[in-house]
Amino acid sequence: HRSLLSSFYYVVCDLSLVFILYIATTYFHLLPHPLSLVAWPIYWVLQGCILTGVWVIAHECGHHAFSKYQWVDDLVGLTLHSALLVPYFSWKISHRRHHSNTGSLDRDEVFVPKSKSNVAWFHKCFNNPLGRAVSLLITLTLGWPLYLAFNVSGRPYNHFASHYHPYAPIYSDRERLLIYVSDVTLLCATYFLYLVATVRGLVWLVCVYGVPWLVVNGFLVTITYLQHTHSSLPHYDSSEWEWLKGALATMDRDYGILNKVFHHITDTHVTHHLFSTMPHYHAMEATNAVKPILGEYYQFDDTPFYKALWREAKECLYVEPDEETSQKGVFWYRNKF
């Protein structure tokens, strides 16, 4: 059950915290010199975490989980996502297809693993601690923009695919107008940031907005990567894939206090894939109800996310079919070259 009042309550709470943290930055210059240097990194992390929660609410709007009114969901989602430089309708459409095809090697939209023979040579060169660290750094900072702009880690298409391109193969003819709307709104948001930079300076904009925005991108990639990457999560080709199998091939994770800050997108992702129009404030209740029904098919890993990120980057490099069973269409992660 979606409540307009409850949903807006979380929007107001999050944006209020964003504003309070912004106001706090206006007093940093009054702090003694060493403390002023420490204050900025603390602000970046805190603001990035809160804005990740804002991102999650916009994501729920894309699922029509914010209210009973589609126009309200789209208006709120378009506003919040554009403020974080996300093309709302473009990503809403591709993300909806991800939910419709989760775990499918043929039709899923993102985090589609490669077979061993299709792994690029440079990935093998990065298969060591230093290479892994560099790869993770690039992924966490540039992964989200690269996916939106060039479909990196997305489903392979025969033609150039980009979330900013109305005629990309990701979209059908009836969806192209919405891509234009997303692009125009993003241009307006970018122009607004440009005007702010001309008034307050580029350094000020980077410190107040740019670095927290990078933190949001890093958490977004971490959360989604860990939701769909684990050695116990199967992938399926067209001979074995079914919607329920794919929906259950996801992993709930424990982010500690950040579970609440991120509106439980982290530790209730399984039920989110089963009931994507369910608002986040009912997700824990639903998860607790679903666990005993799913039994062994409910996937949860309580490894701290920063440790899990390193482990999955090491162990989940490509997928191969399970040769020891008759199910040749079921694929599992491997890491041996």
Side-chain angles (χ1 to χ4, degrees), residues 182-226:
S182 294
D183 289 348
V184 170
T185 312
L186 273 187
L187 286 174
C188 292
T190 304
Y191 183 65
F192 175 77
L193 292 174
Y194 165 75
L195 293 178
V196 171
T198 59
V199 175
R200 300 300 301 269
L202 181 60
V203 173
W204 182 90
L205 181 64
V206 169
C207 289
V208 172
Y209 176 86
V211 179
W213 178 75
L214 287 175
V215 173
V216 173
N217 291 350
F219 270 123
L220 168 62
V221 172
T222 299
I223 291 168
T224 53
Y225 174 74
L226 291 180

Side-chain angles (χ1 to χ4, degrees), residues 25-74:
T25 64
T26 63
Y27 295 95
F28 285 176
H29 68 283
L30 300 177
L31 296 171
H33 178 63
L35 291 179
S36 63
L37 295 178
V38 174
W40 277 109
I42 294 175
Y43 163 78
W44 293 332
V45 173
L46 292 179
Q47 190 72 290
C49 289
I50 300 301
L51 287 174
T52 302
V54 174
W55 195 101
V56 172
I57 292 176
H59 152 263
E60 289 208 329
C61 291
H63 281 291
H64 196 16
F66 188 83
S67 74
K68 300 176 183 178
Y69 312 100
Q70 185 67 66
W71 69 271
V72 173
D73 289 34
D74 285 340

Side-chain angles (χ1 to χ4, degrees), residues 76 102 134 137 274 318:
V76 173
T102 308
V134 172
L137 178 63
L274 295 173
Y318 59 87

Side-chain angles (χ1 to χ4, degrees), residues 1-12 57 61 64-76 279-282:
H1 296 283
R2 295 157 292 184
S3 165
L4 192 63
L5 185 62
S6 296
S7 295
F8 267 115
Y9 165 78
Y10 287 98
V11 173
V12 172
I57 292 176
C61 291
H64 196 16
F66 188 83
S67 74
K68 300 176 183 178
Y69 312 100
Q70 185 67 66
W71 69 271
V72 173
D73 289 34
D74 285 340
L75 182 60
V76 173
H280 66 85
Y281 40 84
H282 293 317

Side-chain angles (χ1 to χ4, degrees), residues 116-137:
K116 185 176 182 179
S117 60
N118 289 329
V119 174
W121 64 268
F122 54 85
H123 286 296
K124 300 176 183 178
C125 297
F126 279 79
N127 190 28
N128 55 72
L130 178 59
R132 203 170 298 123
V134 172
S135 179
L136 280 175
L137 178 63

Side-chain angles (χ1 to χ4, degrees), residues 18-262:
V18 169
F19 182 71
I20 290 170
L21 288 171
Y22 162 70
I23 293 298
T25 64
T26 63
Y27 295 95
F28 285 176
H29 68 283
L30 300 177
L31 296 171
H33 178 63
L35 291 179
S36 63
L37 295 178
V38 174
W40 277 109
I42 294 175
Y43 163 78
W44 293 332
V45 173
L46 292 179
Q47 190 72 290
C49 289
I50 300 301
L51 287 174
T52 302
V54 174
W55 195 101
V56 172
I57 292 176
H59 152 263
E60 289 208 329
C61 291
H63 281 291
H64 196 16
F66 188 83
S67 74
K68 300 176 183 178
Y69 312 100
Q70 185 67 66
W71 69 271
V72 173
D73 289 34
D74 285 340
L75 182 60
V76 173
L78 181 65
T79 302
L80 296 180
H81 260 168
S82 297
L84 295 170
L85 302 183
V86 178
Y88 171 73
F89 287 111
S90 309
W91 188 75
K92 169 187 173 179
I93 293 167
S94 69
H95 188 63
R96 181 178 62 208
R97 296 211 174 97
H98 159 65
H99 270 257
S100 299
N101 300 284
T102 308
S104 169
L105 291 172
D106 303 312
R107 297 185 305 276
D108 202 351
E109 282 291 335
V110 68
F111 291 122
V112 183
K114 298 181 182 299
S115 63
K116 185 176 182 179
S117 60
N118 289 329
V119 174
W121 64 268
F122 54 85
H123 286 296
K124 300 176 183 178
C125 297
F126 279 79
N127 190 28
N128 55 72
L130 178 59
R132 203 170 298 123
V134 172
S135 179
L136 280 175
L137 178 63
I138 295 173
T139 300
L140 295 180
T141 54
L142 300 178
W144 175 240
L146 288 175
Y147 169 65
L148 292 178
F150 304 108
N151 200 39
V152 174
S153 82
R155 171 184 173 181
Y157 286 98
N158 293 328
H159 305 289
F160 174 68
S162 170
H163 283 74
Y164 305 111
H165 184 18
Y167 291 90
I170 305 172
Y171 309 112
S172 65
D173 289 338
R174 62 185 178 85
E175 295 166 338
R176 306 201 192 285
L177 179 60
L178 294 175
I179 314 307
Y180 280 112
V181 173
S182 294
D183 289 348
V184 170
T185 312
L186 273 187
L187 286 174
C188 292
T190 304
Y191 183 65
F192 175 77
L193 292 174
Y194 165 75
L195 293 178
V196 171
T198 59
V199 175
R200 300 300 301 269
L202 181 60
V203 173
W204 182 90
L205 181 64
V206 169
C207 289
V208 172
Y209 176 86
V211 179
W213 178 75
L214 287 175
V215 173
V216 173
N217 291 350
F219 270 123
L220 168 62
V221 172
T222 299
I223 291 168
T224 53
Y225 174 74
L226 291 180
Q227 285 167 343
H228 298 283
T229 309
H230 191 280
S231 57
S232 68
L233 296 181
H235 285 74
Y236 306 94
D237 68 14
S238 56
S239 68
E240 285 287 342
W241 184 87
E242 296 174 4
W243 179 82
L244 184 57
K245 285 182 179 181
L248 294 178
T250 60
M251 182 69 65
D252 281 356
R253 305 273 187 171
D254 185 8
Y255 284 63
I257 192 174
L258 291 178
N259 289 329
K260 188 172 182 63
V261 177
F262 297 161

